[in-house]
Amino acid sequence: MRSAAQKTARFGLLTALALVLGLLDRAVPLSALLGGAVPGIKLGLANTVLLYAVFLMDWKSAVLLMLTKVLLSGLLYGSLSAVWFSLSGGVLSLAAMFLFRSSPARGALTSAFAAAAALAVLLVTHPRPRGQVLLFAVLLAAGLAVCLVLLLLLRRGVLCRVQGTSVAGAAAHNIGQVLAAFFIVRTPLLLNTYLPALVGIGVLVGCLTGIVTDRVLKVLRLSPPEKKL
Amino acid sequence: MFRKLLALLLAALVSAVSVLAEEAAVPASESGEPPFLTSVAPEDPAAAYVLVRMPDSVGLLPLPAEGEYIKTIRQVMPDGTEAVNVLRLTPEGFRMESADCSGQDCVEQGMVTLENREERILWNMVICLPHHLSAELLTREEAEQMLPLPGITAAP
């Protein structure tokens, strides 16, 4: 059992790590690479820390970690108004990760459904996709394929359990951000394309975050406790 | 220990909320630049318009028949900082020329024209999320249908 001092130290380390990863996020210009199509898109590397917290800490500490990270990164890196987007994304992401903590396969399945629904919405409003819309339709299809492969591998027991949870968490995070943006912009038509685009990116990035967390946990020789779940 | 940290976080969040609750000031027009319109005049020959939405006001800008012009929008954000966005309007469409937001996503969103509206994820809009500003390209019919917007004052 950890002492209070050890817990405090660990919490501080994780917070600092999350903040530094938020800084590292900016080194990859994802928005520019996607042709400026979707504002507010980030790699979300700090989700690896939240993923660790979800699996290896109690829920109160995980929530506190998320709140601290959102507030401090908002103060350090962005404007105060950016905090609302981060908060909305963080709350939904944490909720999704806790929801699928014990059943990552269900997380992968739900993400697959979300990607399929997003692709359907995109194609219904744009039957002949061109330009940016075509790009994101392809990305969504890729995300859907990734989720299905993930589901297969999880069922076979090949992959570490964090993968399914990470994908669901990242997708939920981006959904949260779009909802927050919608309150500012208030154009329902935007939900037809902006939301599916971010879900697509979220699923793909969530897979990446899951891989990173998986490797880190293996190197640290920690495994998500089977018995606690 | 966690309880104290939680109390501190709550206090910080409450103060942040109170700062955000203040209204943004209505922006003033730059000299030499055309002012915002409030509605589509029947004698105005423009075929398309840019509708700019800010937190407390709305403004309409016509696309020029020839040549280009810029429109500078200055706002004061709730936390006291100044927010500057510069739009460039051409006969084909408009784009965000420059802005002083930290992300620069709005500048990267590129040009919006009547032709590429269908292809863009953001459709006919350029959005600057940190500055709570959006600009959308509307045809004359769409602009006439949308204005006047209830409950919002026009930007000067």
Side-chain angles (χ1 to χ4, degrees):
Chain A
M1 201 59 222
R2 285 194 152 87
S3 70
Q6 280 180 320
K7 277 189 179 170
T8 310
R10 183 173 70 160
F11 192 88
L13 269 176
L14 289 177
T15 312
L17 193 58
L19 290 175
V20 168
L21 284 173
L23 189 62
L24 208 66
D25 256 357
R26 286 151 185 268
V28 177
L30 194 60
S31 188
L33 284 173
L34 292 169
V38 270
I41 191 85
K42 290 178 300 196
L43 270 185
L45 292 174
N47 275 335
T48 53
V49 174
L50 285 177
L51 205 55
Y52 172 100
V54 161
F55 276 101
L56 291 165
M57 292 165 79
D58 58 298
W59 71 269
K60 285 187 202 142
S61 303
V63 169
L64 205 58
L65 184 66
M66 187 268 291
L67 288 176
T68 316
K69 178 229 162 203
V70 160
L71 199 64
L72 285 179
S73 60
L75 286 173
L76 285 173
Y77 304 137
S79 53
L80 213 54
S81 55
V83 169
W84 291 115
F85 296 103
S86 294
L87 188 65
S88 153
V91 164
L92 275 183
S93 157
L94 216 57
M97 289 201 278
F98 271 115
L99 194 66
F100 296 115
R101 188 173 72 156
S102 50
S103 50
R106 217 175 293 168
L109 188 64
T110 313
S111 302
F113 268 122
L119 186 59
V121 165
L122 197 65
L123 289 180
V124 157
T125 50
H126 292 82
R128 284 184 313 273
R130 296 163 304 175
Q132 292 176 352
V133 176
L134 181 62
L135 171 68
F136 280 90
V138 167
L139 285 176
L140 266 172
L144 179 61
V146 158
C147 282
L148 293 175
V149 166
L150 210 62
L151 191 61
L152 202 70
L153 291 177
L154 278 169
R155 283 262 166 84
R156 292 266 183 94
V158 172
L159 281 179
C160 180
R161 301 163 63 84
V162 299
Q163 286 284 44
T165 322
S166 168
V167 165
H173 180 92
N174 285 1
I175 291 174
Q177 293 211 291
V178 171
L179 291 179
F182 178 63
F183 277 113
I184 293 189
V185 175
R186 293 177 189 277
T187 307
L189 203 62
L190 219 53
L191 286 179
N192 290 338
T193 47
Y194 194 36
L195 188 56
L198 280 194
V199 166
I201 295 289
V203 163
L204 290 172
V205 168
C207 197
L208 177 74
T209 316
I211 293 174
V212 170
T213 314
D214 180 26
R215 291 292 138 212
V216 166
L217 287 180
K218 285 222 170 77
V219 165
L220 291 176
R221 291 191 212 186
L222 297 163
S223 53
E226 305 282 342
K227 49 192 185 302
K228 195 161 79 169
L229 304 176
Chain B
M1 195 266 139
F2 281 136
R3 244 191 279 215
K4 281 191 194 155
L5 193 55
L6 191 61
L8 191 67
L9 266 176
L10 277 174
L13 269 171
V14 164
S15 55
V17 165
S18 62
V19 162
L20 285 171
E22 296 170 21
E23 287 180 6
V26 176
S29 216
E30 301 282 301
S31 62
E33 291 178 2
F36 280 116
L37 304 173
T38 55
S39 60
V40 179
E43 64 272 9
D44 193 340
Y49 294 84
V50 175
L51 183 69
V52 182
R53 294 182 207 244
M54 292 149 283
D56 294 318
S57 54
V58 167
L60 195 66
L61 294 168
L63 285 190
E66 48 191 30
E68 316 180 334
Y69 70 96
I70 65 168
K71 178 73 180 172
T72 309
I73 303 160
R74 289 182 198 277
Q75 304 178 73
V76 180
M77 300 308 295
D79 59 2
T81 56
E82 199 193 34
V84 178
N85 291 86
V86 179
L87 294 169
R88 177 173 289 276
L89 293 93
T90 73
E92 289 81 36
F94 79 98
R95 55 182 289 260
M96 186 72 71
E97 177 94 339
S98 67
D100 62 357
C101 52
S102 53
Q104 295 288 297
D105 283 339
C106 48
V107 179
E108 284 171 1
Q109 281 164 43
M111 187 95 179
V112 183
T113 66
L114 287 171
E115 284 79 39
N116 75 5
R117 282 198 313 182
E118 294 292 308
E119 291 181 5
R120 297 173 83 250
I121 287 289
L122 289 178
W123 195 50
N124 66 345
M125 303 181 92
V126 168
I127 307 177
C128 184
L129 285 170
H131 293 172
H132 293 228
L133 182 141
S134 73
E136 48 190 307
L137 185 66
L138 303 169
T139 62
R140 192 193 185 82
E141 293 79 36
E142 289 166 347
E144 281 170 347
Q145 280 168 6
M146 210 176 276
L147 291 176
L149 287 167
I152 299 183
T153 59

